[in-house]
Amino acid sequence: MLQIGLWKRLFIWGLVALGLLLALPNAFYTRVEQSNDAVAAIEAGADTPENQAIAGQWPEWMPSSLVNLGLDLRGGAHLLAEVQVADVYEARMQASWPEIRDALRPERATVGTIRLQDSQPGTLRIRIGEASGMPRALEIVRGLARPVQTLTGAGSTDIVASGQGDIITVTLSDAEKQATDERTLQQSLEIVRRRIDEVGTREPTIQRQGADRILIQVPGIGSAAELKAIIGTTAQLTFNPVVTRTTDANTSVGPGEKLVPSLDEKGTYYVIETAAVVSGEDLVDAQPAFDQNGGPAVSFRFDTTGARRFGDYTAENIGSPFAIVLDNEVVSAPVIQSHIPGGSGIITGRFTVEETTNLAVLLRAGALPAKLTFLEERTIGPELGQDSIEAGKVATAVAFAAVLVFMLLSYGLFGLFANIALVINIGLIFGLLSMIGATLTLPGIAGIVLTVGMAVDANVLVFERIREELKSARGPARAIELGYEKALSAILDANITTFITAVILFVMGSGPVRGFAITLGLGIVTSVFTAVYVTRLIVVMWYERRRPKQIEV
Amino acid sequence: MRLKLVPDETHFDFFGRWKLWLGLSALMVVIGFSSFLLQGLNYGIDFRGGTTIRTESTQAVDIGQYRDAIATLGLGDISITEVFDPSFGPDKNVAMIRIQAQDEQEAVTPETIDAVEAALAVVVPDIKFISVESVGPKVSGELIQTAVLAVVLAIGAVLVYIWLRFEWQFALGAVVALVHDVVLTIGVFSEVQIRFDLAIIAALLTIVGYSLNDTVVVFDRVRENLRKYKNRPLKEVLNLSINETLSRTLMTSLTTLLALIALYVLGGDVIRGFVFAMIWGVVVGTYSSIFVASTILLYLGVKRDWTKQDGNAGNQYANIDA
């Protein structure tokens, strides 16, 4: 007979209640969202009476997770950036030149003169005066190699040197390249995150995608261009030795040197050494400040290694100029007056107060280790999002009503049971979406509407089966029982196959496709639950009260 | 009084003209496929790279004026379409401008977009740029690959699932029906030249899921009836099974269609193509689960006796489940 144990009943209703409770905040979306924002602000320290009042709009003991609205519904910007990891190889090799040169110098007697040659980016080519000294030179260069600090790269070293004739070629090893890629990406992610956080927008998504990509989605921002301006500013600060100063824009430079324009003196150029003495990565702090004359400036402090290098360099080069280079422009090129041991200094230039504030922020947030190329960018205006939400709401309501009426007309009382289950079903989908913090997109709404259509399928299967069983002149209880029993395999097979496609969509898809896969997948889970357990329980409860001799499905 | 789509008992002969149905399907597949080969699909920027700009203004959209404004920039192929939607008010005029991916550009250039926006702002002072989307050629190529892979994987995965749950003949029948549905849907998109973008792939995969849903329910009943009526010819069993599940098939298709049509009419123009694909898929999927999947099954034949080993005659009634 139709029997469902008490504990099972309580469990089923408990799950339904829990799901609906989790879904409830979405019915008061704006209020809950404001309240959540206020709570976050209070936690961040802005404990004002206004914030307290707004936070009080939603009771603390209620669940307050909401379904995130996707960019297509809320408006905002989406960027897919590719990190040019190879940039870093070049910088690494350039930085190792002084080290190699200094290591070879004491061996001049065997290797002869040491000259840097032009080469492909990411490789160093060094010509030595005495080809016969090659074995010794290679030995020294290889001696500079350090072991790679990764699991996969165990046993390998960071640089590879080979000699041919009188040319030594030095490159990064493959293991080191891999390790560098990984570091570069982590660092870029971190810096992008910090920059976006400085602007303080709500719930940005900053995700790594694949080997060298970063996906950035920021709701509520005006345009992708604005977002690019925030994260794309490099603020690459370096301190380089100055070779010479010139007014000729076409000055030819030697290997390992480059020509950089001056920031505030038009027509002035500096030839500087490419390898920096210290770079922005060694900075630990930067603050807007004022110089001795009261002009706006930025003060900075290096970490210990940076401070030591800076100190050593200034001690050895008193009297010569060095350039403070910001994003490939020389901010200033003071002459070193004395040894600067503490690792702190001040950048002056013709800045406004606002510029120094921005520069300090950018320096603090660190420079991006490599250039970002933008492969995909999307801006969705808030008006379009609002329109889509409105259209989605109306369409869902109409679809919902049409299905409810249709089911009621087709199956009468049993249709009503199915409809109750359908309403619960939608509630559960929203409850689950809120719980996992999933993002609702426009195709996601389509997924819900599709679920509305398909959710009745399991019920239809059962009801049609009960009709059939009734025809074979069985009692109502037996017919209901057999209906559920026999329809189960079809329900499961049909839903598992759809679920498989939802999983594939989720794994392979991106953006809106994923949003659709999530609602479709969750919809399948909840509709099987409501059809197999909830409707059945409702039917059983009704049957127990009424004990009809005959039923019509 | 109940609404009944299908009488309590039906005795349609679905296989009387199976050659005709299969021929018709084959013809449609050929038409769809050749349309795809001949004129291809109207790929959106997701798959082709480029930029789409959605504009809105209170003035009526004059496509010629828009085109002239942008033409001076020399951006190659530009398509401008006015978007109509019943939900737009009289002072809401929307156009979509699509600019092809520019040669030798790995990534998206904001300069191009700025230039287009500036040029349009001159001729239509109150123009607003509601959405701007750019996809670089590098990503769009990958998106095509992933999309094709997703569809193939989905079909492969369900093939395996049905093979495990049923027999290989069922799996093959279901998959032929699926491929039929996918080809016909792509064919329609090629014929009508509706924009084919990432969301349509989601729709395609849903169609795969939906069509399967239908097919599996029919097959489930076939399997049950094969055990029940061990000596009836396969054709009769198939016919009976489809007739028995017909009421359910139509009910479910109808409720789904009701929901989808509501979305098509009221859901706004942004997802109309997507919903169109699904509506078409539901119709085709329902048809194919009856006329294609089952016919293939009939053609392949099914091992009838589940209980006995080959060559072990005499045990035929040893395991009857009444």
Side-chain angles (χ1 to χ4, degrees), chain B residues 30-41 186-193:
Chain B
V30 168
I31 292 174
F33 204 72
S34 39
S35 165
F36 172 67
L37 288 182
L38 289 176
Q39 59 175 359
L41 290 166
I186 292 177
V188 161
F189 271 75
S190 163
E191 284 288 337
V192 191
Q193 291 285 302

PDB file of all heavy atoms in Angstrom, chain B residues 30-41 186-193:
ATOM      1  N   VAL B  30      19.503  16.583 -45.831  1.00  0.00           N
ATOM      2  CA  VAL B  30      20.323  16.967 -46.984  1.00  0.00           C
ATOM      3  C   VAL B  30      20.172  18.458 -47.272  1.00  0.00           C
ATOM      4  O   VAL B  30      21.155  19.176 -47.484  1.00  0.00           O
ATOM      5  CB  VAL B  30      19.945  16.126 -48.228  1.00  0.00           C
ATOM      6  CG1 VAL B  30      20.586  16.714 -49.485  1.00  0.00           C
ATOM      7  CG2 VAL B  30      20.387  14.686 -48.026  1.00  0.00           C
ATOM      8  N   ILE B  31      18.913  18.938 -47.217  1.00  0.00           N
ATOM      9  CA  ILE B  31      18.679  20.367 -47.480  1.00  0.00           C
ATOM     10  C   ILE B  31      19.406  21.221 -46.440  1.00  0.00           C
ATOM     11  O   ILE B  31      20.122  22.167 -46.777  1.00  0.00           O
ATOM     12  CB  ILE B  31      17.169  20.697 -47.459  1.00  0.00           C
ATOM     13  CG1 ILE B  31      16.475  20.044 -48.657  1.00  0.00           C
ATOM     14  CG2 ILE B  31      16.939  22.207 -47.483  1.00  0.00           C
ATOM     15  CD1 ILE B  31      14.964  20.183 -48.642  1.00  0.00           C
ATOM     16  N   GLY B  32      19.228  20.842 -45.169  1.00  0.00           N
ATOM     17  CA  GLY B  32      19.878  21.602 -44.096  1.00  0.00           C
ATOM     18  C   GLY B  32      21.382  21.607 -44.252  1.00  0.00           C
ATOM     19  O   GLY B  32      22.028  22.645 -44.142  1.00  0.00           O
ATOM     20  N   PHE B  33      21.921  20.436 -44.561  1.00  0.00           N
ATOM     21  CA  PHE B  33      23.370  20.304 -44.650  1.00  0.00           C
ATOM     22  C   PHE B  33      23.919  21.084 -45.839  1.00  0.00           C
ATOM     23  O   PHE B  33      24.932  21.768 -45.730  1.00  0.00           O
ATOM     24  CB  PHE B  33      23.746  18.826 -44.762  1.00  0.00           C
ATOM     25  CG  PHE B  33      25.132  18.541 -44.305  1.00  0.00           C
ATOM     26  CD1 PHE B  33      25.452  18.598 -42.953  1.00  0.00           C
ATOM     27  CD2 PHE B  33      26.129  18.236 -45.223  1.00  0.00           C
ATOM     28  CE1 PHE B  33      26.742  18.349 -42.528  1.00  0.00           C
ATOM     29  CE2 PHE B  33      27.418  17.987 -44.794  1.00  0.00           C
ATOM     30  CZ  PHE B  33      27.725  18.041 -43.449  1.00  0.00           C
ATOM     31  N   SER B  34      23.194  20.998 -46.990  1.00  0.00           N
ATOM     32  CA  SER B  34      23.735  21.712 -48.148  1.00  0.00           C
ATOM     33  C   SER B  34      23.592  23.214 -47.977  1.00  0.00           C
ATOM     34  O   SER B  34      24.449  23.978 -48.419  1.00  0.00           O
ATOM     35  CB  SER B  34      23.101  21.219 -49.448  1.00  0.00           C
ATOM     36  OG  SER B  34      21.744  20.978 -49.275  1.00  0.00           O
ATOM     37  N   SER B  35      22.522  23.630 -47.287  1.00  0.00           N
ATOM     38  CA  SER B  35      22.397  25.059 -47.004  1.00  0.00           C
ATOM     39  C   SER B  35      23.576  25.528 -46.158  1.00  0.00           C
ATOM     40  O   SER B  35      24.155  26.588 -46.390  1.00  0.00           O
ATOM     41  CB  SER B  35      21.088  25.320 -46.271  1.00  0.00           C
ATOM     42  OG  SER B  35      21.109  26.599 -45.699  1.00  0.00           O
ATOM     43  N   PHE B  36      23.934  24.670 -45.188  1.00  0.00           N
ATOM     44  CA  PHE B  36      25.073  24.991 -44.323  1.00  0.00           C
ATOM     45  C   PHE B  36      26.362  25.085 -45.136  1.00  0.00           C
ATOM     46  O   PHE B  36      27.169  25.995 -44.971  1.00  0.00           O
ATOM     47  CB  PHE B  36      25.193  23.919 -43.238  1.00  0.00           C
ATOM     48  CG  PHE B  36      26.430  24.030 -42.400  1.00  0.00           C
ATOM     49  CD1 PHE B  36      26.605  25.104 -41.542  1.00  0.00           C
ATOM     50  CD2 PHE B  36      27.422  23.066 -42.479  1.00  0.00           C
ATOM     51  CE1 PHE B  36      27.744  25.213 -40.774  1.00  0.00           C
ATOM     52  CE2 PHE B  36      28.562  23.177 -41.707  1.00  0.00           C
ATOM     53  CZ  PHE B  36      28.728  24.252 -40.855  1.00  0.00           C
ATOM     54  N   LEU B  37      26.514  24.140 -46.104  1.00  0.00           N
ATOM     55  CA  LEU B  37      27.734  24.147 -46.915  1.00  0.00           C
ATOM     56  C   LEU B  37      27.739  25.318 -47.886  1.00  0.00           C
ATOM     57  O   LEU B  37      28.770  25.942 -48.130  1.00  0.00           O
ATOM     58  CB  LEU B  37      27.854  22.837 -47.697  1.00  0.00           C
ATOM     59  CG  LEU B  37      28.214  21.599 -46.871  1.00  0.00           C
ATOM     60  CD1 LEU B  37      28.355  20.390 -47.768  1.00  0.00           C
ATOM     61  CD2 LEU B  37      29.501  21.832 -46.089  1.00  0.00           C
ATOM     62  N   LEU B  38      26.561  25.612 -48.466  1.00  0.00           N
ATOM     63  CA  LEU B  38      26.511  26.642 -49.501  1.00  0.00           C
ATOM     64  C   LEU B  38      26.570  28.050 -48.947  1.00  0.00           C
ATOM     65  O   LEU B  38      27.401  28.856 -49.349  1.00  0.00           O
ATOM     66  CB  LEU B  38      25.254  26.470 -50.355  1.00  0.00           C
ATOM     67  CG  LEU B  38      25.274  25.243 -51.269  1.00  0.00           C
ATOM     68  CD1 LEU B  38      23.946  25.107 -51.999  1.00  0.00           C
ATOM     69  CD2 LEU B  38      26.435  25.349 -52.266  1.00  0.00           C
ATOM     70  N   GLN B  39      25.671  28.355 -48.005  1.00  0.00           N
ATOM     71  CA  GLN B  39      25.679  29.744 -47.530  1.00  0.00           C
ATOM     72  C   GLN B  39      26.169  29.896 -46.092  1.00  0.00           C
ATOM     73  O   GLN B  39      26.295  31.007 -45.602  1.00  0.00           O
ATOM     74  CB  GLN B  39      24.316  30.401 -47.711  1.00  0.00           C
ATOM     75  CG  GLN B  39      23.182  29.717 -46.981  1.00  0.00           C
ATOM     76  CD  GLN B  39      21.914  30.522 -47.131  1.00  0.00           C
ATOM     77  OE1 GLN B  39      21.913  31.569 -47.749  1.00  0.00           O
ATOM     78  NE2 GLN B  39      20.830  30.027 -46.574  1.00  0.00           N
ATOM     79  N   GLY B  40      26.446  28.784 -45.459  1.00  0.00           N
ATOM     80  CA  GLY B  40      27.047  28.856 -44.135  1.00  0.00           C
ATOM     81  C   GLY B  40      26.120  29.470 -43.105  1.00  0.00           C
ATOM     82  O   GLY B  40      24.931  29.642 -43.342  1.00  0.00           O
ATOM     83  N   LEU B  41      26.685  29.801 -41.982  1.00  0.00           N
ATOM     84  CA  LEU B  41      25.896  30.366 -40.903  1.00  0.00           C
ATOM     85  C   LEU B  41      26.231  31.840 -40.743  1.00  0.00           C
ATOM     86  O   LEU B  41      27.314  32.284 -41.105  1.00  0.00           O
ATOM     87  CB  LEU B  41      26.210  29.635 -39.595  1.00  0.00           C
ATOM     88  CG  LEU B  41      25.713  28.199 -39.497  1.00  0.00           C
ATOM     89  CD1 LEU B  41      26.376  27.490 -38.341  1.00  0.00           C
ATOM     90  CD2 LEU B  41      24.205  28.165 -39.340  1.00  0.00           C
ATOM     91  N   ILE B 186      20.755  23.431 -37.191  1.00  0.00           N
ATOM     92  CA  ILE B 186      21.791  24.241 -37.845  1.00  0.00           C
ATOM     93  C   ILE B 186      21.321  24.645 -39.232  1.00  0.00           C
ATOM     94  O   ILE B 186      21.524  25.776 -39.673  1.00  0.00           O
ATOM     95  CB  ILE B 186      23.122  23.467 -37.891  1.00  0.00           C
ATOM     96  CG1 ILE B 186      23.665  23.304 -36.472  1.00  0.00           C
ATOM     97  CG2 ILE B 186      24.145  24.181 -38.765  1.00  0.00           C
ATOM     98  CD1 ILE B 186      24.928  22.494 -36.374  1.00  0.00           C
ATOM     99  N   GLY B 187      20.650  23.706 -39.912  1.00  0.00           N
ATOM    100  CA  GLY B 187      20.113  23.991 -41.244  1.00  0.00           C
ATOM    101  C   GLY B 187      19.161  25.172 -41.225  1.00  0.00           C
ATOM    102  O   GLY B 187      19.253  26.069 -42.064  1.00  0.00           O
ATOM    103  N   VAL B 188      18.262  25.193 -40.246  1.00  0.00           N
ATOM    104  CA  VAL B 188      17.302  26.299 -40.176  1.00  0.00           C
ATOM    105  C   VAL B 188      18.036  27.618 -39.927  1.00  0.00           C
ATOM    106  O   VAL B 188      17.729  28.639 -40.548  1.00  0.00           O
ATOM    107  CB  VAL B 188      16.263  26.041 -39.066  1.00  0.00           C
ATOM    108  CG1 VAL B 188      15.571  27.326 -38.669  1.00  0.00           C
ATOM    109  CG2 VAL B 188      15.252  25.046 -39.553  1.00  0.00           C
ATOM    110  N   PHE B 189      19.032  27.570 -39.050  1.00  0.00           N
ATOM    111  CA  PHE B 189      19.796  28.792 -38.781  1.00  0.00           C
ATOM    112  C   PHE B 189      20.509  29.275 -40.028  1.00  0.00           C
ATOM    113  O   PHE B 189      20.657  30.465 -40.248  1.00  0.00           O
ATOM    114  CB  PHE B 189      20.785  28.562 -37.634  1.00  0.00           C
ATOM    115  CG  PHE B 189      20.191  28.864 -36.303  1.00  0.00           C
ATOM    116  CD1 PHE B 189      19.298  27.986 -35.725  1.00  0.00           C
ATOM    117  CD2 PHE B 189      20.459  30.051 -35.652  1.00  0.00           C
ATOM    118  CE1 PHE B 189      18.705  28.264 -34.514  1.00  0.00           C
ATOM    119  CE2 PHE B 189      19.871  30.348 -34.439  1.00  0.00           C
ATOM    120  CZ  PHE B 189      18.988  29.445 -33.862  1.00  0.00           C
ATOM    121  N   SER B 190      20.941  28.310 -40.852  1.00  0.00           N
ATOM    122  CA  SER B 190      21.601  28.685 -42.096  1.00  0.00           C
ATOM    123  C   SER B 190      20.584  29.242 -43.092  1.00  0.00           C
ATOM    124  O   SER B 190      20.828  30.246 -43.754  1.00  0.00           O
ATOM    125  CB  SER B 190      22.312  27.455 -42.675  1.00  0.00           C
ATOM    126  OG  SER B 190      22.610  27.660 -44.020  1.00  0.00           O
ATOM    127  N   GLU B 191      19.411  28.591 -43.200  1.00  0.00           N
ATOM    128  CA  GLU B 191      18.376  29.039 -44.134  1.00  0.00           C
ATOM    129  C   GLU B 191      17.911  30.446 -43.814  1.00  0.00           C
ATOM    130  O   GLU B 191      17.847  31.311 -44.675  1.00  0.00           O
ATOM    131  CB  GLU B 191      17.156  28.104 -44.044  1.00  0.00           C
ATOM    132  CG  GLU B 191      17.326  26.755 -44.728  1.00  0.00           C
ATOM    133  CD  GLU B 191      17.310  26.891 -46.231  1.00  0.00           C
ATOM    134  OE1 GLU B 191      16.748  27.898 -46.708  1.00  0.00           O
ATOM    135  OE2 GLU B 191      17.871  26.009 -46.911  1.00  0.00           O
ATOM    136  N   VAL B 192      17.556  30.647 -42.555  1.00  0.00           N
ATOM    137  CA  VAL B 192      16.951  31.917 -42.156  1.00  0.00           C
ATOM    138  C   VAL B 192      18.019  32.963 -41.835  1.00  0.00           C
ATOM    139  O   VAL B 192      17.727  34.130 -41.683  1.00  0.00           O
ATOM    140  CB  VAL B 192      16.008  31.690 -40.955  1.00  0.00           C
ATOM    141  CG1 VAL B 192      15.163  32.904 -40.674  1.00  0.00           C
ATOM    142  CG2 VAL B 192      15.113  30.495 -41.222  1.00  0.00           C
ATOM    143  N   GLN B 193      19.279  32.509 -41.725  1.00  0.00           N
ATOM    144  CA  GLN B 193      20.395  33.407 -41.418  1.00  0.00           C
ATOM    145  C   GLN B 193      20.205  34.163 -40.110  1.00  0.00           C
ATOM    146  O   GLN B 193      20.500  35.354 -40.001  1.00  0.00           O
ATOM    147  CB  GLN B 193      20.635  34.389 -42.577  1.00  0.00           C
ATOM    148  CG  GLN B 193      21.190  33.716 -43.820  1.00  0.00           C
ATOM    149  CD  GLN B 193      22.650  33.350 -43.693  1.00  0.00           C
ATOM    150  OE1 GLN B 193      23.504  34.175 -43.452  1.00  0.00           O
ATOM    151  NE2 GLN B 193      22.936  32.052 -43.832  1.00  0.00           N
TER     152      GLN B 193
END
